[in-house]
Amino acid sequence: MENVVEIRGLCFKYEDTEASVLNDVNLKVREGEFLGIMGPTGAGKTTLCLCITGLIPHTVSGQLAGEVIVAGMKTSEHTLYDFVPQCVGMVFQDPESQLFGLDVEEDVAFALEYEGLPRTEIRKRLQWALNVVRLDGFEERFPYFLSGGQKQRVAIASVLASRPRVLVLDEPTSELDPIGKGEVFRAIDDIRRTFQCTIIVVEHDTEDLVRFADRLVVMNKGRIALEGRPNEIFRRGSQAQTLGVKPPQVTELGYLIHDQHMSEWAEYGIPLTIEEARDRLLRALEKRDASLGKYAVHEHPLDARKDEPLVEAKDLWHIYGLGTEREIAALKGIDLAIHPQDFVAFIGQNGSGKTTLAKHFNGLLKPSKGSVLVNGRNTKTASVSELSGMVGYCFQNPDHQIFNTTVYDEIAYGPRNLRLSKEQLHDRVLEALRAVGLEGYEKLNPLFLGKGERQKIAVASILAMHPRLLIVDEPTTGMDWRTLTTMMNLIKHLNESGMAVVFITHNMEIVAEYAKRIVVLFDGKVILDGSTGWVFSQPDLLMKALIAPPQITQLAQTLKSYFRPDTLSVRDACEHLRLLSRGGTNNAVAL
Amino acid sequence: MPLLFEMYVERDSPIHRLDPRVKLLWFLCVMICAAIVNSAVPASIVLLWIIGVAASARLPLKRLLLLAQALVYMIVVCVLMWPLFVKSGSVLFKWDWLVVTNNGILVGIGIGFRIASMILASAVIFMTTTQKELIESLRTLKIPEHFVFASVLALRYIPSLMGEWNAIAEAEACRSPSRGRGPVATIRKVFAMRSHAIPIMHRTAKMTTELSLALDSKGFNPERRPTPYLELTTRNSDRAFAAVSILFVSVYVALRFLLMPQQMWIEIY
């Protein structure tokens, strides 16, 4: 099949950076291919996408060497309008910055209007594109009020309407819940199959990518470090893991089986998808006459809690736009207590009320009905500042909370308002920097640091206030696996040193790995609240909340005669297999 | 003041169905009429005309009353303030340097009604016309595309930037001292907004860069006039409404400058 994208010896350096971002990149993409691009933050993935769409060199300036040929046209020798948007279209990471119409219809029709297509053709393509992304009937909706997943699908439709031969998507699902993520990937795959469109996707999450991609490219330090089919990239001993690419959990189980010399399970091999893993494991299990026997999942331990809660919500309601025509009940009668040393994850699909609930704990939002008590004090009569010494809130986007031009001043910003002595202030800043591992950064400008470091500074600036409860809203969005685990290990360490932690995330692997307790929200209500294992072993209720447990838990639940349904990690699954190979696990899970 | 996108009220009324260009013409006529009079009676007729249009649009009374409340305050302020400056006419009250004349009262009411007319007419336009219709009518009226597209972006990104601002303000509040309540606290809060400058500039710069990339990636060309997707049609009802508006403004211009200049415009000194 013909190559629709050809990149030869591509090097690029931005005007304001010293080092090259791309170094001698060579890549060919065939017509109709689904190519996944992975790699750590700063590897040059987005820059490569900008080169493919021709935005480099036409919109973004810098030093470019080598050539990019898209649909037979050398991008540097043609104007942008020669190949955009009919030949190549790009969907950016943040849907907010690419939806500039006053309604969905206008956004999707935008490129077509500038192409000068007749009105009837625009109408036809508009309906078609909205239908492909399953947003029929959304034509007159204002983009600002759509959910994250819906916005991303509008962004895809707006590019798709021009029927580009190549569709480039830069982390299109980073802010979506697992179900929304799956929806976007299925929509992209449908487009590829139906219209023979070439797809290039940059993505950190490999579980969906390996399912759909024909070929994967792993980038590192501006170069293509690995290239091949998914099973080649994730074969045992592959360089992918050392480059910060996290394989799917079912693949990791294969690595672990091999590393621990469990030759009796060698048949499992290195699967990439849950279906593959299930079939192989089932074959191997059926050969052995071993089953799990009777077991019971631990009941959630919350009923037994006797210690005084740090935060207590009683019949908490929150209604946005109360008293107006646009009333929206975001929380509907929540009863919940957070205790000292809790490590709680709030999970739920976009718009389920997680952030609204958390913002009540430090008084950012006041209850419309019911009450929230923080250390016995009603938040209705306390200001955010008064509660800030008790509850620290770390926002999703670190850029929203950086007010100073040096790291030292940034961390000192909160404690300075507590009227501490100069020495006390200095001690608090150093202590917070030590906690997040950023000693020596005091004089640097936080805005020029990487996202992971800015996120750590945001956490440190809250830690310096010495709160008893730390709330972290989406701490891992858009991070590669290595940065993400560093951040979560830091939060875990804070919890172990006595601080209660509430974190909000869509990443179920992170939840299973770190949280001791999960609160599941759906439509403004808490529908599950219990220990991590117990919550993840309630698939029916999770399904209702449109939540999918981690892949390894799903695998265990599909093989429920052999595995415990509350298997949370690859290590747990491997341990079960070890016990099964000893002739049954009745002893292993005696509860 | 609600944002523009929140102002539109969906109704199937004769005013909603009008061609947005005709509504803009009506708005222009109202502005001319309001601008050329300062006496109470002619200004009240303009205001009644707008109220009549608002009533035909079947706009929600609750919202109109909220607006009316603000307008009444403003009219009261005008009635109290203007007599201090208008010295013509017969004296109604005199105390030391303070002289109140009948013209002062009439002009106070007239100016109050005039400003109220302008605000109410704007509200009627935004409550009966979608932003998209307004933008498309600007395009068909051959307003330069640079201006039209800048208006689209401004309307679209107001809520986004407000969202950014709120997020920054919340983050700042989490690490700030208590500023208490009352007027002094409000002043303190305003001063505290200085610290918002760094994050808001950073975020706006980032959004603008991403926006320009997204625009270019969709083949946006400011030199090119796009195919208007929304079709605006003019019907007989539009023509009739336009004719009445033009007639009204013509009569007012004639009365003001030819037939009854003193009754329409009161000299202040």
Side-chain angles (χ1 to χ4, degrees):
Chain A
M1 208 174 268
E2 186 195 345
N3 290 326
V4 69
V5 176
E6 247 186 284
I7 298 171
R8 296 183 199 134
L10 181 67
C11 301
F12 184 74
K13 186 177 100 58
Y14 287 100
E15 260 178 2
D16 52 357
T17 56
E18 282 178 15
S20 287
V21 181
L22 295 177
N23 298 299
D24 193 25
V25 173
N26 293 286
L27 181 70
K28 287 177 183 169
V29 188
R30 293 187 309 278
E31 183 111 51
E33 192 178 12
F34 192 133
L35 177 78
I37 302 179
M38 303 178 296
T41 308
K45 305 181 294 293
T46 299
T47 307
L48 180 62
C49 291
L50 295 177
C51 288
I52 295 172
T53 43
L55 292 168
I56 291 177
H58 293 290
T59 301
V60 181
S61 49
Q63 290 171 23
L64 180 82
E67 53 191 33
V68 179
I69 301 164
V70 179
M73 284 181 275
K74 207 184 272 187
T75 57
S76 56
E77 290 177 1
H78 285 77
T79 68
L80 197 58
Y81 306 122
D82 289 341
F83 48 92
V84 160
Q86 307 91 330
C87 290
V88 56
M90 180 162 173
V91 177
F92 295 82
Q93 188 178 351
D94 180 7
E96 192 60 30
S97 58
Q98 56 196 311
L99 301 182
F100 25 73
L102 298 173
D103 57 23
V104 167
E105 194 172 64
E106 193 176 334
D107 265 315
V108 180
F110 184 86
L112 308 176
E113 288 177 333
Y114 278 92
E115 275 181 63
L117 296 182
R119 194 176 279 139
T120 47
E121 179 64 18
I122 295 178
R123 193 160 295 143
K124 215 166 81 184
R125 291 218 201 163
L126 174 96
Q127 292 306 329
W128 166 78
L130 286 178
N131 180 265
V132 170
V133 296
R134 293 186 288 278
L135 283 177
D136 310 76
F138 278 66
E139 289 83 347
E140 292 181 6
R141 300 275 287 272
F142 190 62
Y144 184 72
F145 292 120
L146 300 178
S147 73
Q150 288 166 341
K151 278 185 192 170
Q152 200 57 274
R153 281 189 279 153
V154 176
I156 293 173
S158 68
V159 174
L160 198 61
S162 298
R163 296 192 181 155
R165 284 176 69 183
V166 183
L167 180 58
V168 181
L169 303 106
D170 187 7
E171 296 192 42
T173 63
S174 62
E175 292 187 19
L176 304 189
D177 53 55
I179 302 287
K181 216 173 243 196
E183 272 183 16
V184 168
F185 265 98
R186 274 190 296 279
I188 297 169
D189 192 52
D190 281 352
I191 293 160
R192 195 264 295 242
R193 288 183 190 287
T194 319
F195 308 104
Q196 299 300 308
C197 180
T198 305
I199 308 282
I200 300 175
V201 181
V202 173
E203 183 63 53
H204 284 303
D205 188 344
T206 50
E207 276 174 25
D208 283 311
L209 203 53
V210 294
R211 182 179 292 274
F212 297 108
D214 300 315
R215 193 157 57 102
L216 298 176
V217 158
V218 182
M219 291 191 70
N220 188 40
K221 294 179 182 165
R223 294 176 192 278
I224 292 184
L226 279 174
E227 188 182 344
R229 288 197 304 276
N231 57 355
E232 291 166 352
I233 295 290
F234 290 113
R235 72 180 187 280
R236 198 183 56 78
S238 154
Q239 210 192 336
Q241 269 183 296
T242 57
L243 294 173
V245 174
K246 188 187 174 301
Q249 282 188 311
V250 291
T251 311
E252 282 184 299
L253 180 60
Y255 296 158
L256 205 55
I257 288 171
H258 186 274
D259 293 347
Q260 303 213 349
H261 310 293
M262 295 161 67
S263 52
E264 61 275 32
W265 302 106
E267 198 176 341
Y268 182 73
I270 307 290
L272 292 176
T273 64
I274 193 165
E275 293 80 10
E276 247 180 308
R278 183 198 56 213
D279 294 346
R280 291 181 188 186
L281 211 47
L282 201 57
R283 273 200 303 273
L285 284 162
E286 279 169 353
K287 282 184 193 164
R288 316 182 70 85
D289 187 22
S291 72
L292 182 59
K294 281 186 182 174
Y295 71 91
V297 177
H298 282 294
E299 278 301 317
H300 65 100
L302 303 173
D303 298 338
R305 297 292 289 261
K306 293 279 187 268
D307 51 345
E308 278 295 306
L310 207 55
V311 177
E312 197 172 9
K314 291 176 183 170
D315 189 29
L316 172 63
W317 286 73
H318 190 84
I319 299 163
Y320 287 108
L322 189 63
T324 69
E325 290 167 13
R326 294 170 190 265
E327 282 189 0
I328 299 168
L331 299 178
K332 300 171 182 171
I334 304 251
D335 288 298
L336 184 74
I338 305 292
H339 293 263
Q341 297 189 2
D342 261 353
F343 196 167
V344 193
F346 283 3
I347 63 173
Q349 63 171 154
N350 292 98
S352 57
K354 307 180 292 292
T355 299
T356 304
L357 175 59
K359 281 184 177 174
H360 279 83
F361 294 173
N362 72 338
L364 275 172
L365 292 176
K366 306 288 182 193
S368 305
K369 195 182 137 199
S371 64
V372 176
L373 303 177
V374 175
N375 211 21
R377 184 162 182 194
N378 195 323
T379 59
K380 267 189 181 166
T381 56
S383 69
V384 180
S385 315
E386 285 161 343
L387 296 170
S388 63
M390 184 63 63
V391 182
Y393 197 111
C394 197
F395 287 77
Q396 180 180 355
N397 189 341
D399 297 342
H400 285 144
Q401 48 198 322
I402 291 178
F403 306 105
N404 295 279
T405 49
T406 67
V407 171
Y408 187 95
D409 285 342
E410 191 54 45
I411 314 272
Y413 187 82
R416 199 169 269 148
N417 292 324
L418 298 176
R419 297 187 182 152
L420 303 172
S421 71
K422 212 172 173 184
E423 290 73 30
Q424 282 174 317
L425 181 74
H426 186 68
D427 288 348
R428 282 214 185 180
V429 173
L430 294 188
E431 178 195 48
L433 281 172
R434 243 190 329 271
V436 299
L438 288 183
E439 300 108 310
Y441 279 62
E442 291 86 337
K443 290 182 183 166
L444 298 182
N445 188 331
L447 290 175
F448 297 139
L449 299 175
K451 188 175 177 186
E453 286 157 330
R454 292 205 304 280
Q455 191 68 272
K456 281 184 183 177
I457 289 167
V459 172
S461 64
I462 300 295
L463 291 183
M465 307 280 285
H466 283 184
R468 288 181 64 193
L469 167 64
L470 175 67
I471 301 169
V472 199
D473 195 347
E474 298 277 6
T476 57
T477 305
M479 286 183 183
D480 60 49
W481 187 252
R482 203 177 286 160
T483 323
L484 182 152
T485 44
T486 312
M487 174 56 70
M488 287 313 298
N489 285 336
L490 162 68
I491 295 171
K492 183 182 175 191
H493 173 72
L494 294 172
N495 176 252
E496 285 167 352
S497 59
M499 191 180 285
V501 173
V502 168
F503 70 106
I504 299 170
T505 185
H506 289 311
N507 189 325
M508 295 304 133
E509 270 188 67
I510 287 290
V511 174
E513 181 78 29
Y514 292 93
K516 293 177 193 161
R517 175 185 166 195
I518 298 177
V519 172
V520 183
L521 284 121
F522 176 69
D523 191 25
K525 294 176 193 151
V526 172
I527 62 162
L528 278 172
D529 178 8
S531 65
T532 306
W534 181 78
V535 168
F536 277 142
S537 56
Q538 311 296 321
D540 296 339
L541 283 170
L542 287 174
M543 184 82 82
K544 186 184 162 197
L546 302 173
I547 294 287
Q551 195 185 40
I552 203 73
T553 311
Q554 290 180 48
L555 176 68
Q557 287 170 0
T558 57
L559 298 168
K560 54 189 171 192
S561 313
Y562 304 98
F563 281 89
R564 284 179 50 157
D566 59 348
T567 302
L568 294 178
S569 67
V570 174
R571 288 185 308 277
D572 285 352
C574 188
E575 201 49 39
H576 279 301
L577 288 176
R578 187 190 303 283
L579 293 165
L580 282 167
S581 59
R582 286 182 194 154
T585 61
N586 288 350
N587 53 340
V589 286
L591 299 164
Chain B
M1 181 73 183
L3 291 170
L4 299 185
F5 66 88
E6 288 177 319
M7 283 185 74
Y8 179 71
V9 178
E10 203 165 338
R11 290 275 190 279
D12 184 24
S13 79
I15 305 299
H16 281 77
R17 284 193 295 270
L18 283 177
D19 183 328
R21 290 167 296 186
V22 171
K23 280 189 258 187
L24 286 178
L25 174 73
W26 168 77
F27 181 72
L28 183 69
C29 294
V30 167
M31 290 293 126
I32 293 171
C33 291
I36 60 173
V37 298
N38 74 347
S39 184
V41 176
S44 63
I45 294 171
V46 177
L47 189 57
L48 281 175
W49 182 26
I50 301 166
I51 292 171
V53 170
S56 328
R58 299 206 305 272
L59 295 175
L61 198 62
K62 200 175 159 187
R63 278 218 221 169
L64 288 177
L65 285 176
L66 267 175
L67 184 62
Q69 200 181 352
L71 295 180
V72 166
Y73 285 131
M74 201 197 56
I75 292 167
V76 169
V77 169
C78 286
V79 171
L80 292 174
M81 198 185 72
W82 277 92
L84 304 178
F85 303 104
V86 180
K87 302 296 173 207
S88 65
S90 50
V91 176
L92 298 176
F93 173 79
K94 190 172 182 197
W95 180 74
D96 198 10
W97 58 269
L98 182 65
V99 181
V100 177
T101 65
N102 67 333
N103 279 354
I105 302 287
L106 288 174
V107 169
I109 297 171
I111 299 282
F113 281 1
R114 192 175 164 186
I115 301 172
S117 298
M118 291 174 177
I119 295 173
L120 192 58
S122 312
V124 170
I125 287 284
F126 288 122
M127 286 166 126
T128 61
T129 320
T130 61
Q131 293 175 41
K132 201 172 158 183
E133 286 172 332
L134 282 174
I135 293 295
E136 216 47 65
S137 44
L138 293 181
R139 279 204 175 110
T140 54
L141 292 170
K142 306 288 179 208
I143 305 290
E145 185 59 23
H146 288 88
F147 174 78
V148 175
F149 195 68
S151 311
V152 171
L153 289 184
L155 290 171
R156 165 64 184 88
Y157 280 96
I158 287 170
S160 300
L161 286 172
M162 281 185 63
E164 293 288 324
W165 179 269
N166 287 340
I168 291 163
E170 283 185 345
E172 201 264 346
C174 292
R175 289 156 64 200
S176 304
S178 179
R179 297 192 175 99
R181 293 191 172 88
V184 178
T186 308
I187 294 168
R188 281 200 204 116
K189 281 176 193 165
V190 171
F191 273 101
M193 285 179 189
R194 285 173 307 174
S195 58
H196 299 187
I198 290 177
I200 197 75
M201 280 164 66
H202 180 69
R203 286 293 299 155
T204 311
K206 196 164 177 271
M207 273 173 83
T208 314
T209 309
E210 288 170 358
L211 175 68
S212 71
L213 285 176
L215 279 172
D216 282 350
S217 77
K218 286 186 180 172
F220 170 69
N221 183 349
E223 304 304 325
R224 202 162 165 182
R225 191 161 274 275
T227 310
Y229 172 65
L230 190 70
E231 205 169 358
L232 299 177
T233 48
T234 312
R235 293 166 304 171
N236 285 339
S237 53
D238 295 307
R239 290 184 196 100
F241 193 83
V244 170
S245 301
I246 291 168
L247 183 67
F248 195 100
V249 77
S250 309
V251 170
Y252 251 59
V253 168
L255 290 173
R256 164 69 179 86
F257 295 104
L258 300 171
L259 306 172
M260 304 163 64
Q262 274 97 26
Q263 284 79 3
M264 303 293 276
W265 186 271
I266 295 170
E267 293 303 325
I268 294 172
Y269 297 107

